[in-house]
Amino acid sequence: MKKWLIPVIIIALIAIGLYSWGKNFNNTAVELKETATRTWGDVESSYQRRNDLIGNLVKTVQGAADFEKSTLEAVIKARSEATKTTIDPSNITPEDLAAFNQAQSGLSSALSRLLVTVERYPDLKANQNFLELQSQLEGTENRINVARDRFNEAVEPYNKHIKTFPNSLLAGLFNFSGLEYFKAEAGSEKAPEVEFDFK
């Protein structure tokens, strides 16, 4: 074998190895990011289900009781704000996630006030439609929690893949950046105080 052929073979093997590493990194990162993006879609779908149910709940409450206008308006306004806030799932930033979380927590808070205030109306509490809607809302809140957990589970392997060395070298080259985890809003570790003030 000719001596000049050995360096050519070594360079070719190195080039093939680097190409294979880059291709495997990119394809795995794309697959993991798509999984995380799809699971974010599940989170948004759960929130959309809640928004749809709230519309029905508001109509049921309006029709069944001479209701406190300010509480009802707060729910309607919070629902409107929550539907305006959207996130690009392929580029989730901490700021976007905080704005989304704030809008959704405003809706949760208004909805909680609505359900507490509704306790004053015995006819409404006995209404089968209202009971069904209330049950559906509780189920939806559970779905939202499960969807957020699954989103975080999908983000973890993607972030690990692009942040571990030597993959982190290629992440910048292929323009992959880490995704943010869905975090609870500040103060949610404290148990909420429930007050029934019917004055």
Side-chain angles (χ1 to χ4, degrees):
M1 188 182 307
K2 297 181 181 177
K3 287 188 176 185
W4 63 268
L5 197 55
I6 293 174
V8 170
I9 292 172
I10 291 172
I11 290 171
L13 288 174
I14 290 171
I16 290 169
L18 288 173
Y19 169 79
S20 178
W21 173 46
K23 183 182 111 189
N24 289 338
F25 166 81
N26 184 67
N27 291 347
T28 302
V30 167
E31 288 172 14
L32 292 172
K33 190 168 187 180
E34 282 303 308
T35 300
T37 300
R38 182 192 54 77
T39 55
W40 179 254
D42 294 343
V43 171
E44 289 186 324
S45 174
S46 296
Y47 280 118
Q48 183 62 50
R49 183 176 194 274
R50 179 175 72 173
N51 287 338
D52 295 344
L53 283 169
I54 287 170
N56 292 332
L57 178 66
V58 166
K59 287 177 189 168
T60 302
V61 169
Q62 276 177 325
D66 179 17
F67 201 68
E68 287 187 23
K69 192 175 179 184
S70 62
T71 304
L72 202 52
E73 286 173 351
V75 171
I76 293 167
K77 182 180 177 195
R79 179 180 179 228
S80 173
E81 289 298 316
T83 56
K84 284 183 202 171
T85 308
T86 58
I87 290 182
D88 174 11
S90 63
N91 188 23
I92 297 175
T93 65
E95 296 80 21
D96 291 342
L97 208 49
F100 184 85
N101 199 19
Q102 183 177 5
Q104 293 299 332
S105 67
L107 180 56
S108 294
S109 176
L111 187 57
S112 295
R113 287 193 306 275
L114 173 70
L115 292 174
V116 167
T117 307
V118 157
E119 292 293 318
R120 293 186 220 178
Y121 298 92
D123 292 342
L124 183 59
K125 287 191 298 183
N127 179 304
Q128 189 60 41
N129 289 338
F130 176 75
L131 294 174
E132 178 62 26
L133 281 170
Q134 194 173 20
S135 172
Q136 289 290 325
L137 280 169
E138 289 169 5
T140 300
E141 292 300 323
N142 289 334
R143 286 182 188 197
I144 289 170
N145 189 42
V146 168
R148 288 187 301 212
D149 288 345
R150 287 185 180 157
F151 171 71
N152 284 346
E153 288 170 8
V155 166
E156 182 183 15
Y158 169 74
N159 282 349
K160 282 181 179 178
H161 179 69
I162 67 164
K163 291 180 179 180
T164 54
F165 184 82
N167 288 350
S168 57
L169 299 174
L170 290 178
L173 185 65
F174 288 114
N175 204 23
F176 285 104
S177 58
L179 294 174
E180 287 296 314
Y181 290 98
F182 198 99
K183 296 181 181 122
E185 60 181 301
S188 62
E189 70 279 358
K190 298 174 187 164
E193 292 181 19
V194 179
E195 294 180 16
F196 295 95
D197 181 12
F198 299 135
K199 293 176 185 170

